[in-house]
């Protein structure tokens, strides 16, 4: 298998290397390996203290969070085990005991 990253503009998986550049056959975007590595570094999800989060980590909530559409509140100090990182504004998928499946923003948690 090749280690060529997908196109950062259209996410096409058929990108190819031409000399020192990567090229996308669908949108004709060109980028260098340094740009690709910088983009990967930017995609790291960090907690409120700046620690890098990974799938399966345990985190603790640092602020009372109201649950939208419910009268429930996720209290400060609530531990959330086995998180899953996803794309988007709310970048953590998890299951909280007593509440259920939720999405959280990484800025409101700290790594345990």
């Amino acid at each position: 298998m090749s280690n060529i990253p997908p196109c950062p503009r259209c996410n096409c998986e058929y990108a190819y290397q031409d000399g020192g550049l990567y090229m996308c056959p669908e949108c004709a975007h060109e980028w260098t390996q340094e740009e690709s590595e910088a983009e990967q570094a930017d995609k790291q999800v960090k907690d409120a203290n700046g620690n890098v989060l990974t799938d399966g980590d345990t985190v603790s909530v640092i602020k009372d969070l109201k649950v939208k559409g419910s009268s429930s509140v996720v209290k400060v100090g609530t531990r959330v085990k086995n998180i899953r990182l996803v794309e988007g504004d709310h970048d953590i998928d998890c299951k909280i005991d007593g509440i259920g499946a939720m999405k959280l923003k990484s800025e409101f948690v700290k790594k345990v």
Side-chain angles (χ1 to χ4, degrees):
M1 290 270 144
S2 70
N3 58 353
I4 298 174
C7 176
R9 185 174 290 164
C10 69
N11 208 25
C12 171
E13 61 187 34
Y14 302 113
Y16 61 93
Q17 189 170 7
D18 185 21
L21 293 175
Y22 294 121
M23 304 184 102
C24 177
E26 291 185 5
C27 70
H29 179 63
E30 299 177 355
W31 70 98
T32 64
Q33 182 174 0
E34 291 80 23
E35 290 172 354
S36 180
E37 290 170 355
E39 184 173 315
Q40 290 298 325
D42 290 343
K43 286 188 176 181
Q44 289 182 339
V45 177
K46 296 183 179 182
D47 69 359
N49 296 332
N51 299 319
V52 177
L53 297 173
T54 58
D55 286 343
D57 281 345
T58 299
V59 296
S60 177
V61 177
I62 62 168
K63 176 183 174 184
D64 281 347
L65 301 173
K66 295 180 183 178
V67 179
K68 191 172 187 178
S70 173
S71 61
S72 302
V73 175
V74 179
K75 295 286 188 180
V76 172
T78 302
R79 286 186 147 204
V80 182
K81 298 178 183 177
N82 199 19
I83 64 169
R84 189 171 61 112
L85 302 177
V86 295
E87 295 287 323
D89 186 31
H90 291 73
D91 44 12
I92 297 175
D93 263 349
C94 61
K95 188 180 277 189
I96 299 177
D97 293 337
I99 296 177
M102 287 192 69
K103 289 190 175 201
L104 298 173
K105 290 186 178 183
S106 59
E107 63 194 63
F108 298 124
V109 299
K110 68 178 181 179
K111 192 172 184 177
V112 176

